[in-house]
Amino acid sequence: MEKLEEQIAHLTRTVEELSDVVARQETEIATLTRRVFMLMQREGEREAQASGGVVVGDERPPHY
């Protein structure tokens, strides 16, 4: 019986630790998601203000 109680205590502690990790990850993911959204908005605004020149990867420059 004592062995089972030790195992339950260990498992309970492990579950609590994992819960803390998940809570920290949730906060970090929310922060990163917000930052990515802000960067996407900023890049969209920058592109909208650009001269309209679009660079295509396989397109040759005009001097060729």
Side-chain angles (χ1 to χ4, degrees), residues 11-53:
L11 290 173
T12 300
R13 187 180 74 227
T14 302
V15 167
E16 289 172 357
E17 289 172 356
L18 289 173
S19 179
D20 292 343
V21 168
V22 169
R24 280 194 314 271
Q25 288 177 341
E26 180 181 17
T27 302
E28 186 173 356
I29 288 170
T31 300
L32 292 171
T33 301
R34 188 176 66 248
R35 288 180 180 174
V36 167
F37 178 75
M38 290 168 51
L39 288 171
M40 295 289 287
Q41 278 186 322
R42 186 183 306 167
E43 181 62 18
E45 291 169 1
R46 190 180 67 81
E47 285 181 3
Q49 294 174 355
S51 64

